[in-house]
Structures are given as structure tokens and as C-alpha cells.
Amino acid sequence: MSNVRVRFAPSPTGFFHIGSARTALFNWLYARHTGGAFILRIEDTDKERNSEQFVDLIYSSLNWLGMNWDEGPQVGGNFGPYRQSERAHIYREYLEKLKATGRTYEKDGAIWFKLIGERYRVFDDHRKKEVEKVKVAPTVIDDRIRGRVERLEDEDFVIVRSDGNPVFHFVNVVDDIAMQITHVIRGEDHLSNTSKHVELFKAFGAPVPQFAHIPLILKSPEMGQGKMSKRDKGALVEEYQQRHFLPEALVNYIALLGWNPGDDREKLPIADIIRLFDLPGVNQSNAKFDPKKLAHLNMTYLLELPADKFLALAQACFAKLPNGAAVMANEAYFHEVMLLAQPKIKSVDELAAYTVYFFTEDYPVDDKVKAKVMAKGEPKARLAELIAALPTMDFSSDASIEAALKALAESKGLGFGDYQAIARLAVTGTNAGPSITAIFRVLGKERVMARLQKFSAAAA
Ligand code: GLU
């Protein structure tokens, strides 16, 4: 065990998004990398905007992503309670400590934090009023990611509102002191608060933790421009959970949002990420969210999944669909089709559409593909030749089907490709999918024949 103590301190005011997951992950990784403690603290002081539903969502999302916390709600620890709504007595105690140092005063019913220095008044153009400023040296923050940052904190600020509720800056710092946090790893949007926090730490005579502000996540071009927000499609962790993404793929992807392992690897086992992760390795520049890259990574993880695990995922997916039970009725057939699709799909929620023609005669036909295929060469003639050759084709294996198709093509002085597109269109309605030989084998000769004949009759 090292003495590193980091915390993830979400406010339960909304859905759990990729940005929150990344802040949690960087803290968790740093704790696991250093052998320190990862603490979960729920910052639920905003009674109007908090909800228990969002608290539960924080727990379930962290659990799903595999980020276990060493201290916090549900698991306890020596520095609890871990929800700010249960820590009012601690804030009162710390307020008394601060009062005793002479660094507070009351004004307009609120309690203010007093900066030390000569005071002067100046007209603030922005706020259109005269304000009191304090002559101070800038606060220096030695950020582990951003480097040296200077901020001028030159006005007293409120720490307890007139309604008696302590403000975010105060409770956040008190908890970091009381919980003996050594490193504050959080989003860059908090950098502007950090000078206030540093001044509070100093006023309490507490050691100032090391700060590490993680750069923003920007939207991908498809999502629009600017900073990714929880309202963007694809920004919520829940969405990927519902789509049966693999949590290890999502964690791997999120780790790369602002960090890289120092080589050009993208797929890394979590053990490697833990070993290689460190704060100086986090980029200063903004990260870009790329849903395509995430989907691709998920695909590479799916590909490596043992068959039984993949089938369990597929089952969970189809169980949610109205026709799921019917699709899964013939287990051996269902398994065979699913394993054909495994290397081809980016996420398991694509399975139903990807395999639709295996489970119904009423599968959709892609009109664009159809127009293209029917416009090239003599597809009707090829179809007729296929129908004629089919009864004597050996359907016992992919190889025997391939040999039969090749023999047919050769006998006509043509290539395999001349039969492929039309055969695929006729039996699947599309131009993508597993190999045509595998499709033929799994569908069986009778169904292939029926589909070729039906298509041929309709195209005549
Ligand atoms: N509750 C704050 C937030 O959700 C935490 C800030 C911090 O990590 O210090 O942004």
C-alpha cells in the first residue's frame, strides 16, 4: 500500500456520462497503479438537483465498468460517511476551525472567506458594480498534467450561504482534508475553482493535495462541434450498457481519451493499462470522442470472446426482442448463426439486423443493393444457372459448396464472383454478411432453393 488517496466525487444530478466515467477511471487507474486507495464520495449537497436514481446509477455504472472503490458508500471506510448530505456535522466542525483562524466574517447573512492583503475598491465593468479587491500574489498550482498554472484569487468569497448551506468549494475542500486526499484528479472545468480551493487548504493549515486536471472531451465531427455534453447521443454510459457493449472495451476506449500507452497500441488489457498509466502521460490537449473507434475496439474485443460468453451476450440481446424466443427456439441453429456473425459485428445490438434472414422468409431487401446487382452483367441468367445446378451440389461443408460454385462458374467460362452477388442478394436481401458458402450451408439446400426461385420469379 502506498499513501496515495484519490477520490471520484460525482454530483448525482444527471445521467452517468463518458466524461464522468473517464474522471472515475483516471482516479481508479492511478490508485491501482500506485497501490493507493480509490475513494467514492457522493457530492449530493444540491438538494434540488440530486436524485437517488442518479446515485444508484453511479454505483451501477462503476460496478459495470469494473471500477471497485476501496472506501465509499456501500463499502464503508475510516473516513465516512461518504455522502456529503450526511456530513453536515463535519462541515460545522471545520467551519468552527476556520472561524478560529480569523479567516471568516459574516455579511448579508452569509459567511465569507477572507483573503489576506490590502483592500481597495474598483469598478468591475463586467458586473457593472464596484467591488472590493485584495492585493495578493497569484495562487500557484503545480498541476501534474497542466504544469505550472497561476490564478489570481483577489476577492473574498462565500463559503456558507445565507440559507445555512455550505457552498461547493468549502465542502469539497473540507472533505479532501478530512479524507486525507493526496491527489485531486478531475475535469479541466474545475481548474478555475482550484485557486479558491488552494487558499482554503492553506487557511486550514492542511497540506495542499497535488492537482491533475484532465483535458476536455470534444465531440466527434458527426456529433457536431465543441465540448461533449451529457445531452449528446453516445455520451451516456448507460446507452452502451443497454447495447451490450463489452465493459472492458469501453474502459479500454475511455482510457485512451486523453492518455496513450506510449506506443501505438489501442487494444490493451486492463493490467497493462494499470501498469502503464501515470499522470505525466495524460495529454494536455483535448481528447476527441470517436464513436467509430469505440465500436471498432468493441468489435476486436467481441472477436476474442470465447463462444460461450459471446452466445450468452447474444441471448441477453435477443431476449429483449419481441421475436427473441422464436429466434432462439432451435438452440443449435441459433448458436451456429451467432458464431457466424461474431467476427463481423461491431456491437451485439447489431446481431438481430445482421442475421435477420436466417430466421424469417420475410427479410428486407436493400433496394440500392438490388439496383446495383441487377445492373451488372447478366444476373438473371446466373440465377437460372444456379437454380439448375443446385440439386446436385454437395452442401455438406463450406468447402464442398465453394467447390461446387467454382465448378459451375468454370463450366460457363465465368468466375465465382459472377454468382456471388446475385446469390447473396437473392438469399439475404443484402450485399454484406458472412461468406456465401457459410450462408448456404447454414440455411440448407431447400431454403436456398426456395429463395432463389422466389427471387427469380419476382425478377422475371
Ligand atoms: N462534484 C464535483 C463534480 O461533479 C467534483 C469536483 C471535484 O472532483 O473536485 O464536478
Side-chain angles (χ1 to χ4, degrees):
M1 276 299 262
S2 74
N3 65 350
V4 166
R5 291 176 59 80
V6 292
R7 84 299 194 273
F8 174 50
S11 306
T13 54
F15 287 99
F16 196 80
H17 53 100
I18 299 286
S20 307
R22 188 190 52 167
T23 302
L25 180 62
F26 282 17
N27 277 284
W28 182 86
L29 285 173
Y30 193 64
R32 296 297 169 260
H33 175 77
T34 55
F38 174 61
I39 295 144
L40 175 62
R41 178 170 86 219
I42 304 293
E43 299 212 325
D44 56 348
T45 49
D46 187 344
K47 292 182 195 73
E48 257 103 81
R49 292 172 62 226
N50 289 328
S51 110
E52 246 356 79
Q53 175 209 345
F54 293 136
V55 177
D56 291 339
L57 192 60
I58 292 168
Y59 302 154
S60 64
S61 301
L62 290 176
N63 283 325
W64 181 62
L65 292 170
M67 290 182 234
N68 56 320
W69 53 99
D70 307 308
E71 291 173 31
Q74 297 181 334
V75 304
N78 293 334
F79 301 85
Y82 291 91
R83 291 183 61 156
Q84 289 188 332
S85 57
E86 296 165 8
R87 295 174 61 82
H89 57 291
I90 295 166
Y91 305 136
R92 276 195 296 275
E93 183 192 312
Y94 273 79
L95 182 62
E96 291 314 314
K97 282 192 197 175
L98 199 59
K99 279 182 176 168
T101 66
R103 296 293 299 275
T104 66
Y105 61 90
E106 281 188 49
K107 190 179 81 184
D108 306 330
I111 300 172
W112 293 68
F113 177 66
K114 189 175 14 181
L115 296 177
I116 296 171
E118 198 184 312
R119 278 152 203 267
Y120 61 101
R121 295 186 77 82
V122 62
F123 189 81
D124 183 318
D125 289 338
H126 197 64
R127 285 178 281 177
K128 303 209 173 3
K129 63 171 186 183
E130 210 184 64
V131 294
E132 188 181 80
K133 297 262 182 193
V134 186
K135 269 199 187 126
V136 287
T139 306
V140 176
I141 302 147
D142 227 342
D143 196 276
R144 292 288 301 274
I145 296 168
R146 314 282 315 197
R148 183 188 162 97
V149 180
E150 284 189 12
R151 295 266 162 175
L152 189 66
E153 204 56 61
D154 62 354
E155 281 178 36
D156 295 346
F157 54 89
V158 172
I159 50 174
V160 181
R161 287 194 206 88
S162 49
D163 62 8
N165 286 317
V167 303
F168 160 71
H169 305 299
F170 183 74
V171 295
N172 185 266
V173 168
V174 166
D175 285 348
D176 284 344
I177 296 172
M179 295 179 182
Q180 298 178 10
I181 299 302
T182 58
H183 297 71
V184 171
I185 305 169
R186 61 185 175 189
E188 197 183 86
D189 45 330
H190 284 291
L191 188 56
S192 56
N193 297 324
T194 304
S195 43
K196 287 192 177 68
H197 297 181
V198 169
E199 295 310 320
L200 281 169
F201 279 108
K202 287 187 191 157
F204 276 113
V208 181
Q210 300 214 30
F211 288 96
H213 286 92
I214 317 169
L216 300 177
I217 305 176
L218 301 178
K219 294 185 212 195
S220 69
E222 309 95 82
M223 297 167 86
Q225 272 197 331
K227 180 180 181 278
M228 188 161 90
S229 89
K230 48 191 161 203
R231 284 172 298 280
D232 291 312
K233 192 176 155 24
L236 301 184
V237 169
E238 205 181 6
E239 184 184 321
Y240 297 99
Q241 193 173 2
Q242 276 165 6
R243 291 176 61 193
H244 299 279
F245 267 64
L246 296 174
E248 40 297 24
L250 189 56
V251 164
N252 187 155
Y253 179 71
I254 292 173
L256 299 176
L257 282 173
W259 173 82
N260 63 66
D263 51 38
D264 51 12
R265 272 188 302 168
E266 294 207 320
K267 183 172 185 294
L268 293 94
I270 192 67
D272 286 12
I273 299 178
I274 290 172
R275 184 166 49 79
L276 295 168
F277 184 85
D278 206 354
L279 295 174
V282 177
N283 303 330
Q284 283 193 24
S285 54
N286 292 330
K288 207 171 247 144
F289 185 71
D290 184 348
K292 285 204 193 106
K293 195 161 144 183
L294 167 56
H296 182 78
L297 207 49
N298 192 57
M299 182 167 103
T300 62
Y301 272 85
L302 281 175
L303 200 63
E304 287 181 4
L305 219 54
D308 57 336
K309 292 235 169 70
F310 183 80
L311 291 171
L313 264 184
Q315 254 153 14
C317 224
F318 277 94
K320 291 199 291 196
L321 302 178
N323 67 335
V327 163
M328 294 187 283
N330 181 340
E331 202 182 19
Y333 180 73
F334 175 72
H335 286 182
E336 189 158 33
V337 173
M338 291 304 119
L339 295 180
L340 272 191
Q342 183 177 3
K344 303 282 190 170
I345 50 154
K346 294 207 162 54
S347 59
V348 283
D349 64 334
E350 293 175 2
L351 275 174
Y354 192 81
T355 62
V356 60
Y357 52 82
F358 283 104
F359 301 104
T360 174
E361 293 308 309
D362 192 20
Y363 49 91
V365 174
D366 185 324
D367 287 331
K368 269 199 203 135
V369 171
K370 186 174 172 182
K372 222 167 123 189
V373 171
M374 298 312 284
K376 199 175 163 224
E378 296 169 281
K380 284 186 207 168
R382 301 293 86 79
L383 199 53
E385 289 156 11
L386 263 173
I387 291 171
L390 206 64
T392 57
M393 280 189 185
D394 176 0
F395 258 51
S396 53
S397 69
D398 284 17
S400 71
I401 293 170
E402 189 176 328
L405 286 172
K406 279 192 173 147
L408 168 64
E410 217 163 284
S411 75
K412 308 286 177 192
L414 298 166
F416 184 75
D418 293 298
Y419 293 89
Q420 240 238 111
I422 183 63
R424 190 182 278 280
L425 173 66
V427 300
T428 73
T430 175
N431 60 352
S435 72
I436 188 68
T437 50
I439 294 172
F440 270 28
R441 176 177 51 77
V442 172
L443 283 173
K445 199 184 272 189
E446 262 171 55
R447 272 198 293 174
V448 170
M449 181 59 116
R451 290 182 186 191
L452 292 178
Q453 281 173 336
K454 188 172 153 199
F455 190 90
S456 166

Short mmCIF file of all heavy atoms in Angstrom, two decimals, residues 51-82:
data_model
loop_
_atom_site.label_atom_id
_atom_site.label_comp_id
_atom_site.label_asym_id
_atom_site.label_seq_id
_atom_site.Cartn_x
_atom_site.Cartn_y
_atom_site.Cartn_z
N SER A 51 -30.76 13.30 -7.27
CA SER A 51 -31.80 12.29 -7.16
C SER A 51 -31.17 10.95 -6.82
O SER A 51 -30.04 10.65 -7.20
CB SER A 51 -32.62 12.24 -8.44
OG SER A 51 -32.37 11.06 -9.13
N GLU A 52 -31.92 10.15 -6.05
CA GLU A 52 -31.43 8.84 -5.62
C GLU A 52 -31.21 7.94 -6.83
O GLU A 52 -30.32 7.10 -6.84
CB GLU A 52 -32.49 8.21 -4.70
CG GLU A 52 -32.14 7.98 -3.26
CD GLU A 52 -30.73 8.30 -2.77
OE1 GLU A 52 -30.46 9.49 -2.55
OE2 GLU A 52 -29.94 7.37 -2.57
N GLN A 53 -32.03 8.16 -7.84
CA GLN A 53 -31.89 7.38 -9.07
C GLN A 53 -30.49 7.58 -9.67
O GLN A 53 -29.85 6.63 -10.13
CB GLN A 53 -32.97 7.87 -10.06
CG GLN A 53 -32.91 7.27 -11.43
CD GLN A 53 -33.47 8.23 -12.49
OE1 GLN A 53 -34.14 9.21 -12.17
NE2 GLN A 53 -33.19 7.95 -13.74
N PHE A 54 -30.01 8.82 -9.62
CA PHE A 54 -28.69 9.09 -10.19
C PHE A 54 -27.56 8.59 -9.28
O PHE A 54 -26.48 8.25 -9.76
CB PHE A 54 -28.53 10.59 -10.48
CG PHE A 54 -29.45 11.07 -11.58
CD1 PHE A 54 -30.16 12.26 -11.45
CD2 PHE A 54 -29.62 10.32 -12.74
CE1 PHE A 54 -31.00 12.70 -12.46
CE2 PHE A 54 -30.46 10.75 -13.76
CZ PHE A 54 -31.16 11.95 -13.62
N VAL A 55 -27.83 8.54 -7.98
CA VAL A 55 -26.84 7.96 -7.07
C VAL A 55 -26.69 6.47 -7.41
O VAL A 55 -25.57 5.96 -7.56
CB VAL A 55 -27.27 8.13 -5.59
CG1 VAL A 55 -26.26 7.45 -4.66
CG2 VAL A 55 -27.40 9.60 -5.23
N ASP A 56 -27.81 5.79 -7.55
CA ASP A 56 -27.77 4.36 -7.88
C ASP A 56 -27.08 4.12 -9.22
O ASP A 56 -26.37 3.14 -9.40
CB ASP A 56 -29.19 3.78 -7.93
CG ASP A 56 -29.82 3.72 -6.55
OD1 ASP A 56 -29.05 3.74 -5.56
OD2 ASP A 56 -31.05 3.65 -6.45
N LEU A 57 -27.33 5.06 -10.13
CA LEU A 57 -26.72 4.93 -11.46
C LEU A 57 -25.20 5.04 -11.38
O LEU A 57 -24.47 4.37 -12.12
CB LEU A 57 -27.30 6.01 -12.38
CG LEU A 57 -26.99 5.86 -13.86
CD1 LEU A 57 -27.55 4.56 -14.42
CD2 LEU A 57 -27.57 7.04 -14.64
N ILE A 58 -24.70 5.87 -10.48
CA ILE A 58 -23.24 5.99 -10.28
C ILE A 58 -22.70 4.64 -9.81
O ILE A 58 -21.72 4.12 -10.36
CB ILE A 58 -22.91 7.10 -9.26
CG1 ILE A 58 -23.26 8.47 -9.85
CG2 ILE A 58 -21.44 7.04 -8.84
CD1 ILE A 58 -23.26 9.61 -8.84
N TYR A 59 -23.36 4.04 -8.81
CA TYR A 59 -22.89 2.75 -8.30
C TYR A 59 -22.92 1.69 -9.40
O TYR A 59 -21.96 0.95 -9.61
CB TYR A 59 -23.77 2.25 -7.15
CG TYR A 59 -23.88 3.17 -5.96
CD1 TYR A 59 -25.00 3.13 -5.12
CD2 TYR A 59 -22.86 4.08 -5.65
CE1 TYR A 59 -25.11 3.97 -4.02
CE2 TYR A 59 -22.97 4.92 -4.56
CZ TYR A 59 -24.11 4.87 -3.74
OH TYR A 59 -24.22 5.69 -2.67
N SER A 60 -24.06 1.63 -10.11
CA SER A 60 -24.20 0.53 -11.08
C SER A 60 -23.26 0.73 -12.27
O SER A 60 -22.72 -0.23 -12.81
CB SER A 60 -25.65 0.35 -11.52
OG SER A 60 -26.09 1.50 -12.20
N SER A 61 -23.04 1.98 -12.67
CA SER A 61 -22.14 2.22 -13.80
C SER A 61 -20.71 1.87 -13.41
O SER A 61 -19.99 1.23 -14.19
CB SER A 61 -22.21 3.68 -14.25
OG SER A 61 -23.52 4.01 -14.63
N LEU A 62 -20.28 2.29 -12.23
CA LEU A 62 -18.91 1.96 -11.79
C LEU A 62 -18.75 0.45 -11.67
O LEU A 62 -17.73 -0.11 -12.08
CB LEU A 62 -18.60 2.64 -10.45
CG LEU A 62 -18.43 4.16 -10.48
CD1 LEU A 62 -18.22 4.70 -9.07
CD2 LEU A 62 -17.27 4.58 -11.37
N ASN A 63 -19.75 -0.20 -11.13
CA ASN A 63 -19.68 -1.66 -10.99
C ASN A 63 -19.61 -2.33 -12.36
O ASN A 63 -18.80 -3.23 -12.57
CB ASN A 63 -20.89 -2.20 -10.23
CG ASN A 63 -20.75 -1.96 -8.73
OD1 ASN A 63 -19.64 -2.01 -8.20
ND2 ASN A 63 -21.85 -1.67 -8.06
N TRP A 64 -20.46 -1.86 -13.27
CA TRP A 64 -20.46 -2.46 -14.61
C TRP A 64 -19.10 -2.30 -15.27
O TRP A 64 -18.59 -3.21 -15.93
CB TRP A 64 -21.56 -1.82 -15.47
CG TRP A 64 -21.64 -2.42 -16.84
CD1 TRP A 64 -21.92 -3.72 -17.15
CD2 TRP A 64 -21.40 -1.75 -18.09
NE1 TRP A 64 -21.88 -3.89 -18.53
CE2 TRP A 64 -21.57 -2.70 -19.12
CE3 TRP A 64 -21.09 -0.43 -18.43
CZ2 TRP A 64 -21.42 -2.39 -20.47
CZ3 TRP A 64 -20.94 -0.11 -19.77
CH2 TRP A 64 -21.11 -1.09 -20.77
N LEU A 65 -18.48 -1.13 -15.08
CA LEU A 65 -17.19 -0.86 -15.72
C LEU A 65 -16.02 -1.50 -14.95
O LEU A 65 -14.88 -1.43 -15.40
CB LEU A 65 -16.98 0.65 -15.85
CG LEU A 65 -17.92 1.34 -16.85
CD1 LEU A 65 -17.83 2.86 -16.74
CD2 LEU A 65 -17.62 0.90 -18.28
N GLY A 66 -16.32 -2.07 -13.82
CA GLY A 66 -15.27 -2.79 -13.08
C GLY A 66 -14.40 -1.89 -12.21
O GLY A 66 -13.29 -2.28 -11.84
N MET A 67 -14.89 -0.70 -11.89
CA MET A 67 -14.10 0.19 -11.03
C MET A 67 -14.58 0.06 -9.59
O MET A 67 -15.48 0.77 -9.16
CB MET A 67 -14.27 1.64 -11.49
CG MET A 67 -13.62 1.94 -12.80
SD MET A 67 -13.86 3.70 -13.14
CE MET A 67 -14.60 3.64 -14.75
N ASN A 68 -13.99 -0.85 -8.88
CA ASN A 68 -14.37 -1.05 -7.49
C ASN A 68 -13.74 0.04 -6.62
O ASN A 68 -12.62 0.48 -6.88
CB ASN A 68 -13.90 -2.43 -7.03
CG ASN A 68 -12.41 -2.60 -7.24
OD1 ASN A 68 -11.86 -2.16 -8.25
ND2 ASN A 68 -11.73 -3.20 -6.29
N TRP A 69 -14.49 0.50 -5.63
CA TRP A 69 -13.94 1.53 -4.75
C TRP A 69 -13.57 0.92 -3.39
O TRP A 69 -14.24 0.01 -2.91
CB TRP A 69 -14.87 2.73 -4.62
CG TRP A 69 -16.29 2.48 -4.22
CD1 TRP A 69 -16.84 2.61 -2.99
CD2 TRP A 69 -17.39 2.10 -5.09
NE1 TRP A 69 -18.19 2.33 -3.01
CE2 TRP A 69 -18.56 2.02 -4.28
CE3 TRP A 69 -17.51 1.81 -6.46
CZ2 TRP A 69 -19.82 1.65 -4.80
CZ3 TRP A 69 -18.76 1.45 -6.97
CH2 TRP A 69 -19.89 1.38 -6.14
N ASP A 70 -12.46 1.44 -2.84
CA ASP A 70 -11.93 0.89 -1.59
C ASP A 70 -12.62 1.48 -0.38
O ASP A 70 -12.66 0.87 0.68
CB ASP A 70 -10.42 1.17 -1.50
CG ASP A 70 -9.70 0.66 -2.74
OD1 ASP A 70 -9.89 -0.51 -3.08
OD2 ASP A 70 -8.97 1.45 -3.37
N GLU A 71 -13.11 2.71 -0.55
CA GLU A 71 -13.87 3.36 0.52
C GLU A 71 -15.00 4.10 -0.15
O GLU A 71 -14.83 4.64 -1.24
CB GLU A 71 -13.01 4.40 1.25
CG GLU A 71 -11.90 3.83 2.09
CD GLU A 71 -11.00 4.94 2.65
OE1 GLU A 71 -11.49 6.06 2.90
OE2 GLU A 71 -9.81 4.68 2.81
N GLY A 72 -16.12 4.18 0.57
CA GLY A 72 -17.24 4.93 -0.01
C GLY A 72 -18.55 4.32 0.42
O GLY A 72 -18.58 3.40 1.24
N PRO A 73 -19.63 4.84 -0.15
CA PRO A 73 -20.94 4.27 0.16
C PRO A 73 -20.94 2.77 -0.13
O PRO A 73 -20.21 2.33 -1.01
CB PRO A 73 -21.88 5.00 -0.80
CG PRO A 73 -21.16 6.22 -1.22
CD PRO A 73 -19.70 5.90 -1.16
N GLN A 74 -21.71 2.05 0.57
CA GLN A 74 -21.87 0.60 0.41
C GLN A 74 -20.69 -0.21 0.95
O GLN A 74 -20.88 -1.32 1.41
CB GLN A 74 -22.13 0.19 -1.04
CG GLN A 74 -23.43 0.77 -1.60
CD GLN A 74 -23.69 0.35 -3.03
OE1 GLN A 74 -22.78 0.06 -3.78
NE2 GLN A 74 -24.97 0.33 -3.40
N VAL A 75 -19.46 0.33 0.86
CA VAL A 75 -18.33 -0.45 1.37
C VAL A 75 -17.77 0.12 2.68
O VAL A 75 -17.07 -0.56 3.40
CB VAL A 75 -17.19 -0.60 0.33
CG1 VAL A 75 -17.70 -1.22 -0.95
CG2 VAL A 75 -16.49 0.71 0.06
N GLY A 76 -18.07 1.38 2.98
CA GLY A 76 -17.59 1.98 4.22
C GLY A 76 -16.14 2.41 4.16
O GLY A 76 -15.59 2.59 3.08
N GLY A 77 -15.53 2.57 5.33
CA GLY A 77 -14.16 3.07 5.40
C GLY A 77 -13.99 3.92 6.65
O GLY A 77 -14.96 4.22 7.34
N ASN A 78 -12.76 4.32 6.92
CA ASN A 78 -12.46 5.04 8.16
C ASN A 78 -12.77 6.53 8.11
O ASN A 78 -12.60 7.22 9.11
CB ASN A 78 -10.98 4.88 8.52
CG ASN A 78 -10.67 3.44 8.88
OD1 ASN A 78 -11.55 2.71 9.33
ND2 ASN A 78 -9.43 3.03 8.65
N PHE A 79 -13.17 7.03 6.94
CA PHE A 79 -13.33 8.48 6.82
C PHE A 79 -14.77 8.87 6.45
O PHE A 79 -15.00 9.93 5.91
CB PHE A 79 -12.34 9.03 5.80
CG PHE A 79 -10.90 8.77 6.14
CD1 PHE A 79 -10.29 7.56 5.79
CD2 PHE A 79 -10.16 9.71 6.84
CE1 PHE A 79 -8.97 7.31 6.12
CE2 PHE A 79 -8.83 9.46 7.16
CZ PHE A 79 -8.23 8.25 6.81
N GLY A 80 -15.70 7.97 6.71
CA GLY A 80 -17.08 8.19 6.33
C GLY A 80 -17.78 9.18 7.25
O GLY A 80 -17.17 9.67 8.20
N PRO A 81 -19.07 9.45 7.04
CA PRO A 81 -19.83 8.96 5.89
C PRO A 81 -19.30 9.54 4.57
O PRO A 81 -18.64 10.57 4.56
CB PRO A 81 -21.26 9.43 6.17
CG PRO A 81 -21.15 10.51 7.18
CD PRO A 81 -19.88 10.33 7.92
N TYR A 82 -19.64 8.85 3.47
CA TYR A 82 -19.09 9.23 2.17
C TYR A 82 -20.08 9.94 1.27
O TYR A 82 -19.84 10.09 0.09
CB TYR A 82 -18.50 7.99 1.49
CG TYR A 82 -17.24 7.51 2.20
CD1 TYR A 82 -17.32 6.56 3.22
CD2 TYR A 82 -16.00 8.04 1.89
CE1 TYR A 82 -16.18 6.14 3.89
CE2 TYR A 82 -14.85 7.63 2.54
CZ TYR A 82 -14.94 6.68 3.55
OH TYR A 82 -13.81 6.28 4.22
#
